[in-house]
Every structure is written in structure tokens, then in C-alpha cells.
Amino acid sequence: MSGKPWLKFYPEGIPPSLEYEDIPLPDTLRNTAQKYPDRVALHFMGYEMTFKQLYEAVLKLANYLRELGIEKGDRVAIMLPNTPQAVISFYGVLFAGGVVVETNPMYTERELAYQLKDSGAKAIIALEILYPRIKRVEGETDLEHIIITAIKDYLPFPKNLIYPIIQKRQYGFSVKVEHKGNQHLFTEIMKRSIPDELDVTFDVNHDMACLQYTGGTTGFPKGVMLTHKNLIANAKMCDVWLMRGNNGNDVVLGALPFFHVYGLTTVMILSVMNGAKMVLIPKPEPETLLKAIESQQVTLFPGAPTMYIGLLNHPDLEKYDLSSIEYCISGSAPLPKEVQDKFEKATGGIIVEGYGLTESSPVTHANPLDREKRRIGSIGLPWPDTDAAVVSLENDEKLPPGEIGEIIVKGPQVMMGYWNRPEETEMTLKNGWLYTGDIGYMDEDGYFYIVDRKKDMIIASGFNIYPREIEEVLYEHSAIKEVAVAGVPDPYRGETVKAYIVLKEGAKVTEEELDRFCRERLAAYKVPRIYEFRDELPKTTVGKILRRQLVEEEKKKMAEEQVKS
């Protein structure tokens, strides 16, 4: 107990160590489909699918992928919002023996080409609206096959007829893809007869299930190698921590995107493992979430602070009955106490803050659901089978409670390493410990607190944004001499992206021009919201730009403005 002071604060019924089934991820769906064949697996805008139907659809896709030449270990990209196809594709790739490469549908051509090239993906499953983007980068990649689907494919009548009209109005164009050559239609695949299972064996401890990309301090995203064991272990921890008891009666709100490991584990994998119903939300706007919670009687809502803030600020909040919500786990950014209090008052449920990172599948810490034991401002306690410590930034020695250093974690959810990056793996994984890059401390009782980031990552609306990547794009502009990008405080998004720019002598450029330049090269959530032109940027004696100083200046300026107001 002395090495893990947090154990004495575990709520009753949560053990320090768990038993994990030694099975691969596909087996969790097979087992649930056999146990609860007629139970609803997912709800999508009025359409519902049982676990038996989901399992059969997965088998069709898995066999089709094998016929296309996908073999064990081959990477297959999935570029979809939260739809039935996203769930079918995830398990279909795994049943075929492949490795899932979740890909953000908001990626620009530049970002998409990089991830496809780096992962070596042989196939991609995507929305038809994204097809032109994929075709433009196809030649730079190892892609052999493109499988196309559409939102309307799983909409009930008459929504399936109306949606394409709305979509064409929204995007200004429509796409038609034929089922021929290396182009395949999801709907055609689903017309096939139900095949037998494929005979694929897995080493759950060493075989990759997902190659999940995360930003890097170099500006280039890194592929995080997550095994079947990593993901199953983390979903099991989540299940036990939320005290769901495997009864399968939960209704889980699928608002967190599945292309982010937080949504993948706490919504999709957890729901399939337990036989719970997922309510899939492709675009998590406040009104959509409110309607879904009320109509589907959602009990479990994993989310991010921006989602909860959006609901609380909706003008018609009081018109909706949110009393079905029992538990929420909040991640991706700090959860303000005011938001926690208001949300609990609005729903009657409990919301707690947790912590994790892509490299740990993702959750390592969370506050107890027991209101008496949670601590505001803390990321909570390490989960079962998860060890954590704080080490000195100078010499890696473990520090006593109260002293600030880098937080490190160890457990069955920790990644194998980074894809094709042995040096970065060696820097991040040391003697089984994952060095998180987050600066914080542990109190006497074993509760952990984050005080800063070793990495300069920006978290805006739950999205992880890396300044270096945006800086590299801005440096491509002919008018820019120097640039620094930082996250500045934002009451709604948590942080927002600000670019500090020094122009070349005689050069001129407007904020509007820079905005257009960035939007052509970056996903919308990465584009700076604020631009500030300066004569010079603060630097160290060796010329390194002091990004942290810029953030401190911003905070000071905001504090002074608040005093004036």
C-alpha cells in the first residue's frame, strides 16, 4: 500500500487488480452476439441494428477484405464519422486480421497523404464526400483499394432520401462512385450472403489492433501501436471504474469521435464488450445531443468539457429531460468546477474528470464516482493495475508527494511503442514506464494534478493540436519571417490557437489571407483563430523562441482586462 497510497481511496467494490480475458478484440463482438443476439447494438438517427446483425455485417466485410488481399497485419484506414459503418469497419478489419488506422475525416490532403504513407495502409474505408480528396493523394500512397459508403446508407426512410439533398446543399457538390476496379461500394458488400468466420489467430499481447496517430513535437504525427490486450484492458478498467457490472443495460452516448482513441475505447469497445446500446452521433452539436439523451434515455455519457458546456449553454436546456444520465467521464481537457456542478444539477448524474493519452489506450487516471472522494482540480487516482509516479526532470528520480515533475505511468494499457520510430519509443518508454510529457504532482493521498505540459500541445474543444505542425505550414508562406503558435485561454474551447507573426522586411499579408492559406493545408480545428503581428518574438540566448512567455503575456493581459471590466 505504501507504494500506491491511492488504493485506500478506491470506492468500495473496485479492486486494485483485475482479471482480463485472454482474447482478441473480435472475440468480444462474437461473444456478445451469441449472448445477446436480439439486443440493440446501435442506434443511428432512427435506424437500429442488433448485435446479431452487426456481427453478420462484420463477417461480410471481413471476408470481402480477405478476398481483396488484406492479410494479417495489413493496415486498413477508416475515415468515417460515428456511423454504423464505422463500427462495422472497425471489427471487420480486425476479423480479417488487419490493423485499424483510424483517420480523421477532417484531414486535409496534406495530412491524409502523410498518415496513409506513414502507415502503409493498403485500403481505406471512407465517406463518398471524401472520395475526391482520397483520389488526389492516392498516387502518393500504398493504397490498393478504396471502399466508399454514405451517411444515407444506414438512414431509415424518408431520411435516406432527404439527407443527400441536404448534403449537396452543404458541400456544393455530390459524388457518385461505381462498384468496379479498385473502387468498392459498402452497400454492395453488404448484399453478399453471410459467410463463415475466418480462421485468424492472434497473439493478444503483441499483435497490433490499432495504429492510432497522435501529434508529435517534431510536427509530424506518430503512429501509436496498440495491441488487442491494451484496448481490452483499458475498456475493462473503464467498466469496473464506472461500476457498470457487465449487465449490458446501459445506453452509451457515442458523441466522442471513434477516430480518437478516447471515443474508441470508452464508447465503442466498452459497449460491444458489455452488450450495451450505442447511440451514434456523427456531428455532436448541442441540440442533437440533448434530443438523443432524452429520446434514447442515455445512461452513460463519456465526453469532453466543451460538450458539457455546449449543452449547459443551450437556450432550451430546461425543456429536455436529462435525468436518465447516471455517469459521465470527462477527458481531453480540464473540467471546470462550475461546469461539473451545473451539469450534475441539470442531470442528477455524476460527472468526474479523468486523464489519459493515446499512448495508454487512453485512460490512466480518473476521479472516483463517490462524491465524497473526488477532488476538484485533480485528474484523480490511477486505475486498477495502473502504477503512476512523478519523476525529476533532471535525473528521472522518483519525487515525494507535493513535488513537481514529469508524470509517468505503467500498466497493461500502455502501448508497444511508436510505429517505425525506435528512437522516439526509447525516449518515451523507459523500463516499462510511459513518460507522459505532462508536468504535475501527486498529493499525500495519491491524487494526481497536472500543472503544465512538457510538450506544448494545445487542447481546443477536446482536440489535440501541436503548435509545430501549424508553424511549419505558416513558414511556407512567403511573407513570414518568424512565427510562434501557442494555445491561449478560451472560456468555451478551453484553449484557442493563436499565431504570433514577424513579417519579412517590406512584406504585407492580412489575417484573412493567412486564414485562407491555413485552411487549405490544415484541418479546420487547427487553423489559428487569432493572429498577432509583432516586430520580434521573445527568445532564449541561443535563439529558441519562448512560446511559454507568449502564453504568460496573454494570461497577464487577460487578467488586466478582467480587472478593468
Side-chain angles (χ1 to χ4, degrees):
M1 184 74 79
S2 59
K4 295 184 176 182
W6 53 82
L7 293 179
K8 63 179 178 288
F9 289 93
Y10 270 22
E12 190 178 341
I14 295 180
S17 186
L18 309 176
E19 288 185 16
Y20 307 99
E21 286 187 279
D22 195 26
I23 59 172
L25 274 165
D27 283 18
T28 60
L29 174 59
R30 182 192 298 111
N31 295 347
T32 298
Q34 289 171 353
K35 192 175 181 181
Y36 307 116
D38 300 321
R39 184 176 280 180
V40 175
L42 52 88
H43 175 97
F44 177 66
M45 298 169 71
Y47 169 84
E48 292 193 334
M49 178 183 273
T50 66
F51 278 102
K52 182 174 183 284
Q53 291 169 327
L54 173 59
Y55 179 55
E56 290 171 350
V58 164
L59 289 183
K60 290 178 187 180
L61 179 60
N63 276 268
Y64 194 84
L65 289 170
R66 290 305 287 266
E67 288 173 25
L68 294 182
I70 298 299
E71 298 177 352
K72 188 181 174 189
D74 285 344
R75 276 78 61 206
V76 178
I78 299 174
M79 196 176 185
L80 297 169
N82 289 11
T83 56
Q85 300 96 304
V87 183
I88 295 166
S89 297
F90 179 78
Y91 286 95
V93 171
L94 294 176
F95 265 92
V99 175
V100 173
V101 182
E102 290 286 358
T103 306
N104 191 332
M106 290 186 279
Y107 273 174
T108 62
E109 289 168 30
R110 170 197 180 111
E111 295 161 318
L112 176 60
Y114 172 79
Q115 186 165 310
L116 293 177
K117 279 189 284 190
D118 190 71
S119 66
K122 287 177 70 173
I124 186 169
I125 306 170
L127 284 183
E128 92 286 14
I129 207 76
L130 304 173
Y131 179 73
R133 202 181 305 170
I134 295 165
K135 288 299 287 183
R136 285 193 287 269
V137 304
E138 184 183 7
E140 304 172 47
T141 72
D142 296 329
L143 283 182
E144 295 173 10
H145 298 282
I146 302 170
I147 299 173
I148 292 298
T149 186
I151 296 281
K152 69 176 178 62
D153 293 346
Y154 282 88
L155 288 179
F157 177 84
K159 287 182 182 177
N160 60 338
L161 301 179
I162 299 168
Y163 191 85
I165 299 167
I166 296 169
Q167 187 170 264
K168 186 175 181 181
R169 196 180 301 146
Q170 182 181 355
Y171 293 103
F173 67 95
S174 59
V175 179
K176 286 192 176 178
V177 182
E178 291 186 45
H179 187 68
K180 66 178 185 180
N182 77 334
Q183 300 165 182
H184 314 267
L185 293 179
F186 205 90
T187 47
E188 292 299 314
I189 299 169
M190 290 301 117
K191 288 176 184 174
R192 292 157 65 97
S193 58
I194 300 161
D196 294 330
E197 272 205 24
L198 293 159
D199 185 21
V200 183
T201 56
F202 296 94
D203 177 342
V204 298
N205 293 301
H206 299 100
D207 282 347
M208 254 200 299
C210 286
L211 188 54
Q212 197 78 23
Y213 277 77
T214 186
T217 51
T218 60
F220 295 107
K222 302 187 290 284
V224 173
M225 298 188 288
L226 298 176
T227 66
H228 291 260
K229 176 69 175 288
N230 289 154
L231 292 161
I232 284 181
N234 205 227
K236 178 71 174 177
M237 293 172 190
C238 185
D239 180 44
V240 170
W241 196 261
L242 297 174
M243 297 186 291
R244 311 316 292 148
N246 283 318
N247 58 18
N249 293 321
D250 272 314
V251 179
V252 186
L253 191 65
L256 290 167
F258 295 154
F259 56 78
H260 192 294
V261 71
Y262 179 24
L264 192 69
T265 300
T266 65
V267 178
M268 189 198 294
I269 296 173
L270 178 65
S271 298
V272 168
M273 196 168 76
N274 280 357
K277 178 165 82 170
M278 276 180 272
V279 179
L280 303 181
I281 310 289
K283 199 173 180 183
E285 294 171 333
E287 190 161 341
T288 305
L289 297 180
L290 289 168
K291 286 178 178 177
I293 292 166
E294 182 178 69
S295 66
Q296 296 304 307
Q297 292 292 287
V298 167
T299 59
L300 186 60
F301 179 5
T306 46
M307 289 182 183
Y308 306 125
I309 292 168
L311 298 192
L312 291 171
N313 290 334
H314 193 278
D316 295 330
L317 173 68
E318 292 181 4
K319 294 180 182 177
Y320 292 92
D321 180 5
L322 309 180
S323 62
S324 61
I325 289 179
E326 295 176 19
Y327 299 122
C328 303
I329 182 166
S330 176
S332 294
L335 177 67
K337 183 179 186 303
E338 183 186 11
V339 174
Q340 185 178 49
D341 292 344
K342 284 184 177 178
F343 196 82
E344 291 191 342
K345 187 177 180 183
T347 63
I350 297 175
I351 181 171
V352 295
E353 182 173 346
Y355 166 82
L357 53 166
T358 306
E359 290 87 342
S360 58
S361 307
V363 190
T364 62
H365 295 65
N367 268 281
L369 291 172
D370 184 334
R371 284 188 172 94
E372 301 299 313
K373 291 183 175 178
R374 69 185 183 190
R375 296 189 182 175
I376 304 302
S378 167
I379 57 170
L381 308 169
W383 272 9
D385 294 313
T386 304
D387 202 355
V390 178
V391 296
S392 165
L393 297 174
E394 280 77 45
N395 55 22
D396 279 359
E397 284 186 12
K398 288 187 182 179
L399 298 173
E403 290 201 24
I404 291 173
E406 182 171 0
I407 294 172
I408 61 173
V409 295
K410 181 192 281 189
Q413 73 272 52
V414 170
M415 67 169 182
M416 283 200 297
Y418 294 118
W419 175 251
N420 292 336
R421 296 195 182 215
E423 289 180 5
E424 292 201 46
T425 299
E426 206 172 295
M427 287 167 53
T428 307
L429 289 178
K430 303 175 189 176
N431 300 317
W433 289 92
L434 170 65
Y435 282 63
T436 67
D438 283 313
I439 308 303
Y441 65 94
M442 179 185 78
D443 67 18
E444 294 283 351
D445 297 326
Y447 285 79
F448 282 73
Y449 300 77
I450 303 284
V451 296
D452 205 343
R453 297 188 193 97
K454 187 177 175 184
K455 305 164 188 171
D456 290 307
M457 185 174 72
I458 301 164
I459 301 179
S461 298
F463 286 110
N464 292 353
I465 302 168
Y466 293 82
R468 179 73 179 270
E469 183 183 8
I470 304 166
E471 288 167 3
E472 286 182 1
V473 167
L474 285 166
Y475 269 121
E476 291 175 12
H477 197 286
S478 58
I480 291 176
K481 178 185 175 185
E482 286 184 333
V483 60
V485 170
V488 297
D490 182 287
Y492 178 66
R493 300 177 81 215
E495 289 181 304
T496 201
V497 181
K498 181 171 181 176
Y500 300 83
I501 290 162
V502 177
L503 296 176
K504 292 175 182 174
E505 194 170 341
K508 291 183 180 179
V509 67
T510 66
E511 289 183 26
E512 291 74 18
E513 286 169 344
L514 287 178
D515 187 74
R516 283 197 300 273
F517 183 84
C518 287
R519 285 186 187 280
E520 290 169 4
R521 293 161 175 81
L522 293 165
Y525 65 87
K526 298 178 185 177
V527 174
R529 298 292 181 97
I530 310 166
Y531 295 87
E532 182 176 321
F533 296 92
R534 292 185 165 214
D535 294 328
E536 60 182 13
L537 296 173
K539 298 185 181 90
T540 65
T541 51
V542 293
K544 184 178 178 182
I545 294 171
L546 292 166
R547 188 183 283 114
R548 182 57 51 193
Q549 187 174 319
L550 292 169
V551 174
E552 291 306 318
E553 286 176 18
E554 199 73 30
K555 287 178 180 176
K556 186 178 178 184
K557 189 163 58 178
M558 289 178 75
E560 287 171 353
E561 286 172 359
Q562 283 179 344
V563 170
K564 288 177 186 175
S565 61

